[in-house]
Amino acid sequence: MAAAAGQGRAEEISERLARVRARIAAACAAAGRDPAEVTLIAVTKTFPVSDIAVLARLGVTDVGENRDQEAAPKAAECAALGLPLRWHFVGQLQVNKAASVVRYASVVHSVDRPRLVAALGARARAAGRVITCLIQVSLDAAPGRGGAPPAAVPALAAAVAAEEGLALGGVMAIAPLGEPPRPAFRRLREVAERVRAEHPEAFMVSAGMSGDLDEAIAEGATHVRVGTALLGGRPSFVR
Ligand SMILES: *Cc1c(COP(=O)(O)O)cnc(C)c1O
């Protein structure tokens, strides 16, 4: 059983959440968008279940994690506590972790190669679940952070849409390092629009983190993935 977060910690998270919600509201107002179009995903990696319970009590419904070894036990603990949460897997995913991830995740944001589509589909069918998949788009040429080049996205999207057990949700990206985020998010928006032209149901655009959620919302993000701004800094060795 998770220890309850202390009162001080709960207050800190509450204040941080209010600031993040105000930023989302301001970015939506500036873009002429309805804040109801933007879902806040609290990225809880490295933080304890007690913090997730605080977020859930404050109305957060969506949480994200990037490593299966950490996410699987945390999701199980939250389920045992009866917290009504939707889990998003946002990290690079190895094929051999697909069976575990489909048990708790509703959405996988990091689909970037055909083998992963096949593995997730097979494991989702075996688990009797339908997993929403986002195609992760690489917005720069730098290797290592995952993501498919924009030119590979249409074929991956078609593969997900054709795979029983998977539903195509849309696209995801991480802003490249060392360039302003807004033009990168504009490129993502173009990729998203091309996907939507073929698959009208695939409306999700997962973009924006603590440092750049405002620019992402300006360029059409429907899901922002926020860790540090909600929960504070992580140890520096955790990406
Ligand atoms: C950790 C992480 C986030 C959250 O980043 P912050 O800068 O802490 O808000 C978002 N997306 C992915 C894929 C992550 O791994």
Side-chain angles (χ1 to χ4, degrees):
M1 181 82 183
Q7 189 59 29
R9 179 64 173 156
E11 275 165 21
E12 180 194 349
I13 293 172
S14 174
E15 284 161 17
R16 286 176 172 276
L17 177 61
R19 284 199 292 273
V20 168
R21 284 180 171 152
R23 273 175 72 189
I24 293 172
C28 285
R33 300 183 59 194
D34 180 348
E37 292 173 19
V38 178
T39 300
L40 170 63
I41 301 170
V43 178
T44 53
K45 63 191 181 201
T46 78
F47 291 99
V49 164
S50 53
D51 283 357
I52 303 177
V54 170
L55 289 165
R57 271 202 307 279
L58 294 167
V60 169
T61 53
D62 291 76
V63 293
E65 288 277 341
N66 72 335
R67 289 173 57 248
D68 176 64
Q69 302 93 300
E70 178 180 351
K74 283 162 83 173
E77 207 178 323
C78 287
L81 292 172
L83 302 178
L85 293 169
R86 190 161 38 240
W87 291 80
H88 297 252
F89 191 85
V90 302
Q92 283 182 257
L93 180 56
Q94 273 144 25
V95 162
N96 65 4
K97 295 289 196 290
S100 175
V101 167
V102 301
R103 281 199 279 273
Y104 58 86
S106 297
V107 186
V108 174
H109 290 231
S110 46
V111 175
D112 61 0
R113 57 203 192 278
R115 270 193 71 206
L116 191 52
V117 176
L120 285 168
R123 298 309 190 170
R125 292 193 295 277
R129 302 197 67 206
V130 175
I131 307 298
T132 296
C133 292
L134 309 186
I135 309 300
Q136 184 177 347
V137 184
S138 173
L139 296 174
D140 58 9
R145 303 173 84 208
V153 171
L156 276 169
V160 168
E163 185 81 24
E164 206 182 314
L166 304 183
L168 180 65
V171 297
M172 174 274 215
I174 301 169
L177 297 168
E179 69 169 284
R182 185 139 181 198
F185 290 140
R186 195 169 304 137
R187 298 202 293 281
L188 178 67
R189 174 180 230 163
E190 287 160 14
V191 175
E193 281 166 6
R194 261 180 294 170
V195 169
R196 237 183 357 254
E198 292 290 317
H199 310 275
E201 74 285 5
F203 74 96
M204 296 171 69
V205 179
S206 168
M209 319 200 304
S210 293
D212 55 21
L213 68 91
D214 325 83
E215 288 89 346
I217 289 170
E219 293 297 342
T222 63
H223 290 69
V224 293
R225 310 178 307 267
V226 181
T228 309
L230 287 174
L231 295 171
R234 293 179 294 270
S236 58
F237 53 83
V238 180
R239 68 186 170 91

